[in-house]
Amino acid sequence: MTLPEVTFYDYDPYEGKMASYKVIDDYESLIWHEKFIEAGDFELYLVATPNILSEIIPLTFVGIPDSDTFMMIEKIELKQEAGKADHIIISGRDWRALLQSRVFWDAIYGSTSKKVYDILKRIIDNETNYSHYLFEKYEWYEPLQRYIANSNFVIDSIDDSIKDLYLEDDESAEYIQRWMEDTTLYDEILNLCTRFGIGWKMYESSDGHIHVKFYKGKNRTTEQNENLAVIFSRKFENILSFKYTSDYTNYKNDGYVDMVTTAGNIWNKTEIYDTYHGLNRREVYILWDITGYYQPYMTTEEIDKLSKSYGRMSLAYNYCSEDKTECEIEQNDTNFIFKKDYYIGDIVETESQFGIVKELTCSGSTISYDTNGFTIIPEFEEY
């Protein structure tokens, strides 16, 4: 089999685009893992040559013809074994992981919108404003960072449903303005996208700029009639295994929040909901240090609202029940073909032999290339 070329790129700050500096097509194997929400990864395995270690530059990028995703070189290993040829293993994550190296310096003050679209856009825009000020003032300006921060917020027309997604009503504006401090752009984008089943990707446009795109896949379940329904079940003989787990081990539905400051201020046991009673009540105690958030002019009502909002967010993120479905599909399935009948981000239908029907999102795919051929394995998760 002819292996696809692996092209190595560096970002040219003067041209404002990717510039290739090496092409390899004589490697032994390549694993290319793309994902819907989280950063994917890759691993390139090739025979070591005298110049290869000096030619490959860490923290530059890798691309292949069959993908519009760039991977970032984060690790280079030299493997030497007695009686065998020396090998080099080059690996890393896709370039969305760049945003994990961008600290979110400022909260989204001034924004009271609960639209997920607005908040995602604001995450990028706020970091843009701060980065421009920082880099220009101290002459640390780098075009690559400008393009990442200033990348156009692209949503295709088919993804208008993202604009109708909102945070819960009880998530107060005060908390929305503060909850993103002391973290990274990647982490907060990941949190929101996972919660609402939104995919995202970074790609280089024709003008060389790096754009960020947020999108929703197509619904391909039997509950709709606009798209081809994709079903994996024993009936179609295209599912190898099915595993469903419903876990309430860590589930909590109410509790109390204590807020404290280093100055000694303390507000005791604000009840989160007061909805569940008797054997149905599952309590948790939450201690929240609000130093830096508390203002002397805040009223008792504002403090109580902030405390309840934090408690409800903690319950939603840290103490919810977990439903998990895993399935493995037949790789040679002729009923529904990956990248023809369905794509990463699309919602498909799976059914166990016991009649459990689950809608799963195609969360990614792993492509493996070697001298014997290649395989594509789609992956599925429940969001």
Side-chain angles (χ1 to χ4, degrees), residues 28-83:
E28 292 192 6
S29 67
L30 170 66
I31 298 174
W32 195 266
H33 187 194
E34 297 183 3
K35 301 200 74 173
F36 181 52
I37 297 179
E38 298 172 318
D41 54 79
F42 83 103
E43 181 182 283
L44 179 65
Y45 186 75
L46 65 159
V47 174
T49 62
N51 298 324
I52 193 71
L53 282 174
S54 61
E55 292 175 340
I56 302 303
I57 306 171
L59 300 182
T60 56
F61 305 95
V62 174
I64 60 174
D66 294 335
S67 174
D68 62 357
T69 296
F70 286 109
M71 299 286 181
M72 181 168 57
I73 300 173
E74 296 181 300
K75 189 176 182 179
I76 302 173
E77 301 176 69
L78 175 62
K79 186 177 181 181
Q80 296 178 309
E81 296 182 64

Side-chain angles (χ1 to χ4, degrees), residues 105-284:
W105 290 91
D106 203 359
I108 51 176
Y109 292 107
S111 172
T112 57
S113 173
K114 295 183 181 181
K115 278 190 173 184
V116 176
Y117 172 90
D118 292 340
I119 295 174
L120 284 169
K121 189 173 187 300
R122 191 68 180 253
I123 290 174
I124 297 175
D125 288 345
N126 257 44
E127 179 62 18
T128 297
N129 296 334
Y130 188 90
S131 297
H132 261 176
Y133 172 80
L134 178 69
F135 289 115
E136 291 177 354
K137 180 178 180 181
Y138 295 102
E139 298 181 353
W140 296 342
Y141 187 80
E142 290 289 341
L144 174 60
Q145 289 167 317
R146 173 169 62 86
Y147 290 142
I148 289 177
N150 277 353
S151 54
N152 295 336
F153 191 88
V154 179
I155 295 183
D156 293 339
S157 59
I158 60 172
D159 301 320
D160 285 342
S161 58
I162 295 176
K163 299 180 182 180
D164 298 325
L165 298 176
Y166 290 83
L167 295 178
E168 297 294 336
D169 290 338
D170 56 28
E171 298 179 57
S172 68
E174 293 89 351
Y175 189 62
I176 293 172
Q177 291 173 351
R178 295 178 171 91
W179 69 308
M180 295 178 190
E181 292 182 327
D182 306 321
T183 185
T184 70
L185 296 184
Y186 176 84
D187 293 334
E188 291 310 325
I189 290 173
L190 201 67
N191 285 339
L192 280 173
C193 286
T194 301
R195 179 176 174 184
F196 291 95
I198 300 171
W200 66 297
K201 65 190 307 181
M202 287 169 51
Y203 66 96
E204 184 183 30
S205 63
S206 57
D207 59 10
H209 291 187
I210 300 173
H211 291 193
V212 177
K213 174 182 177 180
F214 294 89
Y215 66 101
K216 280 268 193 179
K218 293 184 177 181
N219 185 341
R220 299 188 180 278
T221 68
T222 56
E223 294 181 352
Q224 53 78 45
N225 53 20
E226 295 182 1
N227 306 306
L228 171 71
V230 176
I231 306 167
F232 297 103
S233 67
R234 293 290 175 87
K235 176 183 177 181
F236 287 95
E237 298 182 342
N238 57 3
I239 190 168
L240 299 179
S241 65
F242 184 99
K243 180 181 178 181
Y244 169 70
T245 305
S246 181
D247 188 354
Y248 280 77
T249 305
N250 197 43
Y251 171 69
K252 309 293 182 185
N253 56 25
D254 213 329
Y256 301 91
V257 178
D258 274 355
M259 299 194 299
V260 298
T261 69
T262 54
N265 306 91
I266 185 166
W267 293 267
N268 290 318
K269 293 185 173 54
T270 300
E271 190 166 23
I272 299 174
Y273 278 115
D274 190 25
T275 301
Y276 300 92
H277 304 90
L279 295 178
N280 292 325
R281 187 178 178 90
R282 304 285 188 273
E283 291 184 349
V284 63

